[in-house]
Amino acid sequence: GLVGSEMCIRDSNNALDSLTSRVTETFQQAYWDTFRDSILKNEWGYFAKLLEEIMFRFQAMIPNRKDVQEELSERLSWETTLEGPTLTQARDMAGYMVEMMEHFQAPDSEKDRTDFWEGLQNTAPFQDTPILEEWRGDFYTLLFKWIMTRQDQIFQQIHNFKRDNTFSCLLYTSPS
């Protein structure tokens, strides 16, 4: 009967969705592993490209705010050096990016953001103890992955808003 074939289609769709998400996950994991490895090898080209991508994404969220776009350019630009960003630059960059997310995210994402920020306080750049260089691969992978995932969610919300024209809480809130 018809019910049986509908079940079959639904099951194969679920199987396809599941496979697709596994492939995507594997691909993303490989992407972030490559990013992390490039930093561990002290190759900063990939880092510079992703940092620029993060900046462009933030700027795209506020097409009419040239002042904020310029601030983003200033705060998220980094003169490529052989050593990579300093500890202070790492802290500043992380603080600024996480703070920027507060202005764009939906209000129900605030706990996620504060939890992430609190977690970052336990990472090497925020500790007072002298540390080895190995922290950088994990730190930047964690930071960039978190930021870009959240940016993707916001772009999806903007897309849905434009499609449905019913979304009301995605506005850039100026720092008070």
Side-chain angles (χ1 to χ4, degrees), residues 91 94-95 98 112-122 126:
R91 271 194 302 269
V98 175
D112 171 63
R113 194 188 70 82
T114 51
D115 288 351
F116 179 73
W117 180 243
E118 282 166 20
L120 274 188
Q121 304 312 302
N122 301 319
F126 292 92

Side-chain angles (χ1 to χ4, degrees), residues 74-166:
E74 241 168 69
R75 298 286 303 271
L76 295 182
S77 65
W78 168 69
E79 273 314 308
T80 308
T81 61
L82 293 173
E83 298 80 48
T86 63
L87 272 175
T88 305
Q89 287 172 319
R91 271 194 302 269
D92 291 350
M93 229 179 264
Y96 185 68
M97 286 186 204
V98 175
E99 181 190 313
M100 283 310 284
M101 287 311 296
E102 181 182 9
H103 304 305
F104 295 108
Q105 71 193 5
D108 62 2
S109 304
E110 182 54 18
K111 184 175 175 4
D112 171 63
R113 194 188 70 82
T114 51
D115 288 351
F116 179 73
W117 180 243
E118 282 166 20
L120 274 188
Q121 304 312 302
N122 301 319
T123 61
F126 292 92
Q127 301 298 305
D128 296 328
T129 52
I131 43 175
L132 302 165
E133 297 299 291
E134 282 95 74
W135 65 270
R136 301 190 301 186
D138 289 333
F139 176 78
Y140 289 119
T141 303
L142 176 74
L143 176 65
F144 282 26
K145 194 176 182 177
W146 186 86
I147 293 287
M148 294 181 95
T149 303
R150 299 312 176 280
Q151 286 178 327
D152 287 344
Q153 290 168 353
I154 289 167
F155 281 122
Q156 190 57 53
Q157 290 169 336
I158 291 170
H159 171 76
N160 293 346
F161 166 65
K162 285 181 175 163
R163 191 190 61 211
D164 305 337
N165 206 12
T166 54

Side-chain angles (χ1 to χ4, degrees), residues 28-38 141:
Q28 286 175 344
Q29 192 53 54
Y31 178 85
W32 290 111
D33 287 349
T34 305
F35 175 70
R36 182 178 175 276
D37 292 346
S38 69
T141 303

Side-chain angles (χ1 to χ4, degrees), residues 38-57:
S38 69
I39 290 174
L40 292 176
K41 289 180 195 151
N42 222 6
E43 295 163 2
W44 294 93
Y46 205 168
F47 172 89
K49 273 197 188 84
L50 271 191
L51 181 63
E52 188 179 53
E53 171 71 16
I54 286 171
M55 180 194 70
F56 287 149
R57 286 163 153 231

